[in-house]
Amino acid sequence: MLLGDGMDRRSLAHEILSQLPLAQQTAAWGTLGTIKPYLGFDVESDVQHHTEAIVGNGTDHGAILDVLTNRTSAQRQQTTRVFQALTKQDLLKSMEAALSGDLERVIVGLLKPPAQYDAHELRAAMQGMGTDEDALTEILSTRSNQQLREILAFYQQDFKADPEKDIASETSGWFKEILLALATGKRERDTGIIDYALIQQDAEALADPGASSEGAGERTWISIFTQRSPEHLSRVFGQYRKSHGLEVEETICKRFRGDGQAAMPALASVCRNTPRYFAEKLHNAVKGPGTDDKVLISRSETDLLSVRSEFKKRHGKSLYSCLQVETRGDYQAVLLALCRAEDL
């Protein structure tokens, strides 16, 4: 299965890359992610590297994670396509066969396109004995409209099912209404223009008890929380506190019950400070029986540097040092590689 240096193989690799959209061939450095484009990226070299790492006497775990945690998702997708073309094998399936346990889960997550990874996590959150309300809320509330469209498309493609119908059948009450509203992907984009009149209007709408019809008040809250931009909502929360002497979270506890009572404060937290929201998720995870590697995977090219900063600011110790204490072996190595560095 090892690859030669023939010109036909190089031509095939270059042909595949030339057919990819420009956005998939390059990635911007101007993000707050820990994973940046690898400037020395050579797709054929990576294919050869992975081939050698998964054949022979024992899988070279270190070699695999060293390459994959130093490539962006777009670069990994290029490698996956060329690996398939040159070896006639599926790289993801090859990794699943070669690896196991926590390391396999992370490596497989890194090899999937982000939207497909989220689609599979969405599906997993609705399988088994009960739904994972926290995972459903996280994915649907922290992804952009375009990302949500891609996630739902992968869900339909991979599972031959309607994600919104699955959400409706697996959840209930106000929580179901919140998730379905988020899944429509109708959140407004921040224009940079502060609409003071709309801020006041939304703050007053949240204060309205909705006595005109049963559930009207709750639906107003859901509509505002799932459609307005995070920047606008942050200002609405401030106006609400100024006008009514309450944080929105205090009113949520009185107005909502069940899973909806947990989901709405999570939406507020996302809108106030998304990196802080993820920092708290990671802190709660490392304090418990496991580590939330999904956050490290999904935010590694987005804002993991900001998440690390919030983690250190709020808890007085770095995410990196916590991972060193709470994890072991190859699993620790891959998580530390995604986290990238200590925050002093």
Side-chain angles (χ1 to χ4, degrees):
M1 194 166 74
L2 295 182
L3 308 178
D5 294 324
M7 288 303 295
D8 58 331
R9 293 181 181 275
R10 291 186 181 279
S11 298
L12 178 58
H14 294 155
E15 180 182 350
I16 292 171
L17 292 180
S18 69
Q19 294 173 357
L20 294 174
L22 181 61
Q24 290 182 282
Q25 297 184 45
T26 60
W29 275 77
T31 72
L32 290 170
T34 54
I35 304 300
K36 307 292 186 182
Y38 182 61
L39 296 182
F41 178 57
D42 180 334
V43 66
E44 290 181 83
S45 175
D46 279 10
V47 169
Q48 183 79 38
H49 194 97
H50 289 313
T51 303
E52 293 172 352
I54 57 181
V55 298
N57 297 322
T59 303
D60 190 340
H61 296 175
I64 291 170
L65 70 88
D66 182 59
V67 171
L68 292 181
T69 57
N70 282 288
R71 305 294 187 271
T72 62
S73 178
Q75 290 174 328
R76 295 182 207 120
Q77 296 314 305
Q78 291 178 26
T79 302
T80 297
R81 289 183 178 89
V82 174
F83 187 95
Q84 175 76 50
L86 297 183
T87 69
K88 309 305 177 187
Q89 297 189 42
D90 186 295
L91 179 57
L92 191 149
K93 290 181 180 178
S94 296
M95 290 294 182
E96 287 178 325
L99 305 172
S100 62
D102 293 332
L103 180 62
E104 177 194 350
R105 183 177 65 250
V106 176
I107 295 301
V108 167
L110 291 173
L111 284 172
K112 291 176 181 175
Q116 185 180 44
Y117 175 72
D118 282 341
H120 284 235
E121 290 300 313
L122 202 64
R123 177 77 166 188
M126 293 186 282
Q127 299 294 298
M129 295 297 292
T131 57
D132 185 340
E133 293 84 1
D134 187 54
L136 292 172
T137 303
E138 176 198 324
I139 294 170
L140 295 175
S141 67
T142 62
R143 287 7 175 208
S144 69
N145 293 342
Q146 177 61 32
Q147 288 171 328
L148 286 172
R149 286 190 286 271
E150 293 173 0
I151 291 166
L152 299 190
F154 265 115
Y155 191 103
Q156 290 179 311
Q157 170 189 294
D158 290 0
F159 304 113
K160 303 298 185 287
D162 186 324
E164 292 176 272
K165 287 184 179 179
D166 284 354
I167 290 170
S169 67
E170 296 296 331
T171 58
S172 60
W174 292 121
F175 184 57
K176 176 178 74 175
E177 299 298 323
I178 293 165
L179 296 184
L180 290 174
L182 289 169
T184 62
K186 293 182 178 179
R187 190 176 292 284
E188 298 164 355
R189 295 181 62 184
D190 180 43
T191 64
I193 299 173
I194 301 176
D195 189 334
Y196 292 99
L198 187 59
I199 291 170
Q200 184 66 40
Q201 176 184 311
D202 284 349
E204 291 307 314
L206 294 179
D208 188 336
S212 58
S213 63
E214 185 177 355
E218 286 81 356
R219 289 189 177 88
T220 295
W221 275 69
I222 292 172
S223 176
I224 291 173
F225 270 55
T226 59
Q227 293 185 24
R228 302 291 194 234
S229 73
E231 295 81 3
H232 173 81
L233 282 171
S234 184
R235 298 183 185 105
V236 170
F237 299 159
Q239 182 61 44
Y240 186 88
R241 180 180 64 252
K242 180 180 178 181
S243 299
H244 305 287
L246 292 171
E247 297 290 354
V248 291
E249 289 85 352
E250 295 177 75
T251 304
I252 287 170
C253 291
K254 299 175 183 177
R255 188 178 286 275
F256 290 88
R257 293 291 180 269
D259 294 330
Q261 192 179 76
M264 290 296 281
L267 294 188
S269 178
V270 168
C271 292
R272 289 183 191 276
N273 188 326
T274 301
R276 182 181 299 171
Y277 165 80
F278 281 113
E280 289 308 295
K281 282 181 64 67
L282 285 167
H283 183 253
N284 292 335
V286 296
K287 286 195 307 180
T291 300
D292 195 343
D293 49 54
K294 296 187 294 294
V295 172
L296 293 169
I297 294 171
S298 66
R299 311 311 291 188
S300 61
E301 291 183 53
T302 308
D303 58 1
L304 191 51
L305 289 174
S306 296
V307 173
R308 278 170 34 186
S309 176
E310 287 291 338
F311 192 101
K312 180 68 178 292
K313 185 189 305 181
R314 292 181 66 80
H315 302 293
K317 52 188 175 182
S318 71
L319 174 59
Y320 194 90
S321 64
C322 286
L323 293 174
Q324 286 180 312
V325 171
E326 298 297 332
T327 58
R328 296 289 184 274
D330 291 328
Y331 183 54
Q332 179 191 73
V334 73
L335 296 187
L336 292 178
L338 291 173
C339 184
R340 224 37 165 198
E342 179 68 271
D343 295 298
L344 301 177

